[in-house]
Amino acid sequence: MKVSTILLSIACLVAQVAASNLNIHQIGKSRDARAHFRRNSTSGDAPSTHGLNFTINGQADYFAGTNIYWIGYLTDDADVDLVLDHLHESGLHILRIWGFSDVNSKPTDGKVYFQILQNGNATINTGSDGLQRLDYVVAAAEKRDIKLIINFVNNWSDYGGIDAYTTAFGGSSTSWYTSPTIQDVYQKYIKAVVSRYSQSSAIFAWELANEPRCRGCNISVIYNWAASTSAYIKSLDPKHMVAIGDEGFGLDVGADGSYPFTYAEGLDFAKNLAIDTIDFGTFHLYPSTWGVSNSFGDGWIAAHAKACAAAQKPCLMEEYGVKTEKCTIEGQWRQTALDTKGIGADLFWQYGDNLSTGNTPNDDYTIYRGTDDYKCLVTDNVANR
Ligand SMILES: *[C@@H]1O[C@H](CO)[C@@H](O)[C@H](O)[C@H]1NC(C)=O
Ligand SMILES: *[C@@H]1O[C@H](CO)[C@@H](O)[C@H](O)[C@H]1NC(C)=O
Ligand SMILES: *[C@@H]1O[C@H](CO)[C@@H](O)[C@H](O)[C@H]1NC(C)=O
Ligand SMILES: *[C@@H]1O[C@H](CO)[C@@H](O)[C@H](O)[C@H]1NC(C)=O
Ligand SMILES: *[C@@H]1O[C@H](CO)[C@@H](O)[C@H](O)[C@H]1NC(C)=O
Ligand SMILES: *[C@@H]1O[C@H](CO)[C@@H](O)[C@H](O)[C@H]1NC(C)=O
């Protein structure tokens, strides 16, 4: 542990030198952007795409951000404010959060939930232990000019997800995408959230799901679902961007035959990206859970960049993480993303902080504010641009 810590700091220095080279050509542009944010913090311009770049407050740039799935579940306003103050200081402009918390029965411990799915009925919780918590996050983000990606359902059972729907309405994790009853409930939930915040200056984009997969399914299943859901969201809110939130699986551009490039999870990255109501591509990067080595990362980024460039829509590298050597490995991936035409922004997984309740969740990928990894990947790399 000690040895790797020393090696890590040397690697950090190397990465920082590389990063400061990068900053030379980024710096002028980004300073202008920061001044612009201050001037135009209440501007009515919704974030959008411009060619292969994203624009925020009318300014096209490469943007950095992070994931904080738990922020809508905090019950203390001061904790929400603290986190968003820290993000604002850090120069992280985009924040991806969970806009869902589905349960099958009412929690008895005061836990925040947004929707109960029970015995064939769905009830949205707009109370103080429900969407009012999300209201606070959105309002607090508005004040600090942080732009949010809000996601509507989880593939995984954390905070309910697809399982919570099938428990209440029947079916399986693969039939979820085509069940008319379930899709009706899901769309009603989307409508409740989108109509609540469609006028907010804090929305970066809406996202269909976290890591949707449909293992063994014909790729038309997720394609059709993504096409109809994104069209529905655009009918409610034509002003904001919509993305899928998938891991970027199923891509033959530059394929090396490894599992993530295959269509085994029912996803076809390029086909889905071509849907006209999908504004940008998303992909994740977790070599260790995908059975590939960390050196897989750069090729994965390049393959998506190429597909995004072909589609004339930017890619968002929206989740990436390693459990050790974060500074070196994640720093390298971000550098590649920055240098590669077609990637418009990246969000590391995941931000960590110390709140009134103690440290935020640690899944070993967490990068806590105040640590050496945070200094390397955020303070020295993003805030000082
Ligand atoms: C917002 O930025 C634009 C430049 O893009 C500038 O012309 C405009 O005056 C700014 N708005 C305010 C309120 O400062
Ligand atoms: C996109 O951003 C890159 C640098 O980040 C810049 O070179 C390019 O001109 C931008 N393209 C557009 C269409 O704004
Ligand atoms: C579900 O809805 C039906 C019909 O509206 C109602 O009779 C039933 O009590 C509801 N079940 C629950 C658990 O709320
Ligand atoms: C998420 O997707 C995978 C692959 O299709 C599937 O095995 C898993 O069961 C899904 N999760 C849930 C909670 O349905
Ligand atoms: C997938 O679905 C499409 C359209 O529904 C169909 O044309 C195609 O044959 C299917 N592919 C497979 C491998 O079943
Ligand atoms: C979190 O902050 C509290 C004080 O607010 C402090 O006592 C505690 O040691 C901190 N925890 C960590 C892990 O830094």
Side-chain angles (χ1 to χ4, degrees):
M1 194 64 197
K2 271 255 158 62
V3 172
S4 64
T5 309
I6 294 162
L7 287 177
L8 191 66
S9 348
I10 295 168
C12 265
L13 280 177
V14 174
Q16 281 164 27
V17 171
S20 56
N21 288 338
L22 142 97
N23 290 345
I24 289 166
H25 66 88
Q26 286 282 324
I27 205 161
K29 190 175 57 173
S30 300
R31 282 229 175 101
D32 291 343
R34 296 186 119 213
H36 181 95
F37 288 138
R38 282 192 294 273
R39 283 199 313 270
N40 274 316
S41 58
T42 55
S43 137
D45 266 359
S48 64
T49 62
H50 182 248
L52 296 174
N53 293 337
F54 291 107
T55 65
I56 292 183
N57 297 336
Q59 180 78 34
D61 206 338
Y62 183 94
F63 296 99
T66 189
N67 286 271
I68 307 186
Y69 71 82
W70 39 260
I71 197 164
Y73 314 141
L74 296 176
T75 50
D76 185 340
D77 291 350
D79 283 336
V80 175
D81 287 328
L82 182 80
V83 168
L84 290 172
D85 279 342
H86 289 164
L87 285 187
H88 181 67
E89 285 163 23
S90 71
L92 295 167
H93 289 303
I94 307 173
L95 173 61
R96 179 167 175 260
I97 68 173
W98 286 178
F100 55 81
S101 176
D102 297 303
V103 295
N104 291 125
S105 58
K106 190 170 155 50
T108 52
D109 57 0
K111 194 182 106 169
V112 172
Y113 68 99
F114 299 155
Q115 179 169 242
I116 295 191
L117 304 167
Q118 196 172 37
N119 305 327
N121 293 333
T123 310
I124 295 168
N125 178 14
T126 56
S128 59
D129 57 353
L131 287 175
Q132 287 176 29
R133 296 312 311 153
L134 204 54
D135 295 350
Y136 194 84
V137 173
V138 172
E142 274 174 16
K143 287 187 191 134
R144 295 159 180 91
D145 207 22
I146 304 279
K147 305 299 180 188
L148 302 171
I149 297 180
I150 299 185
N151 188 304
F152 300 123
V153 72
N154 207 353
N155 175 75
W156 312 104
S157 54
D158 308 301
Y159 302 93
I162 283 175
D163 273 356
Y165 282 80
T166 55
T167 298
F169 298 98
S172 67
S173 63
T174 53
S175 70
W176 184 91
Y177 295 95
T178 52
S179 156
T181 307
I182 283 179
Q183 289 303 308
D184 184 54
V185 171
Y186 168 63
Q187 289 200 349
K188 285 200 170 86
Y189 183 72
I190 289 175
K191 185 175 186 179
V193 176
V194 170
S195 58
R196 240 171 145 84
Y197 311 124
S198 61
Q199 301 307 313
S200 170
S201 63
I203 304 304
F204 183 80
W206 306 114
E207 207 164 78
L208 309 192
N210 175 49
E211 304 190 335
R213 294 179 175 191
C214 192
R215 182 171 297 164
C217 301
N218 188 314
I219 52 172
S220 65
V221 172
I222 283 196
Y223 175 85
N224 290 338
W225 164 78
S228 58
T229 309
S230 58
Y232 177 66
I233 297 170
K234 290 285 186 184
S235 78
L236 301 171
D237 177 9
K239 194 173 79 176
H240 286 110
M241 296 189 284
V242 178
I244 298 177
D246 62 307
E247 294 150 288
F249 292 152
L251 183 62
D252 55 14
V253 189
D256 62 2
S258 60
Y259 154 75
F261 280 105
T262 71
Y263 302 88
E265 299 291 355
L267 288 142
D268 181 329
F269 183 78
K271 184 177 165 75
N272 294 337
L273 186 59
I275 296 169
D276 62 3
T277 40
I278 294 295
D279 294 282
F280 58 90
T282 56
F283 68 96
H284 299 181
L285 178 52
Y286 292 109
S288 64
T289 61
W290 295 348
V292 292
S293 67
N294 288 333
S295 62
F296 164 89
D298 283 343
W300 182 245
I301 295 166
H304 287 83
K306 194 170 165 188
C308 278
Q312 279 301 300
K313 296 178 184 182
C315 271
L316 169 64
M317 180 160 86
E318 76 168 6
E319 284 191 25
Y320 59 98
V322 285
K323 294 186 176 179
T324 57
E325 295 186 80
K326 293 179 169 67
C327 170
T328 321
I329 296 166
E330 296 181 32
Q332 162 72 33
W333 290 341
R334 176 187 281 150
Q335 180 75 50
T336 302
L338 259 160
D339 289 347
T340 309
K341 185 176 153 225
I343 313 290
D346 72 80
L347 319 179
F348 67 86
W349 181 278
Q350 62 161 314
Y351 176 88
D353 212 328
N354 184 5
L355 307 182
S356 64
T357 47
N359 272 350
T360 62
N362 185 5
D363 59 2
D364 295 337
Y365 295 105
T366 309
I367 299 176
Y368 287 99
R369 184 172 176 276
T371 61
D372 288 350
D373 282 333
Y374 194 88
K375 179 168 160 37
C376 166
L377 289 163
V378 182
T379 316
D380 293 346
N381 222 313
V382 175
N384 297 328
R385 258 202 246 151

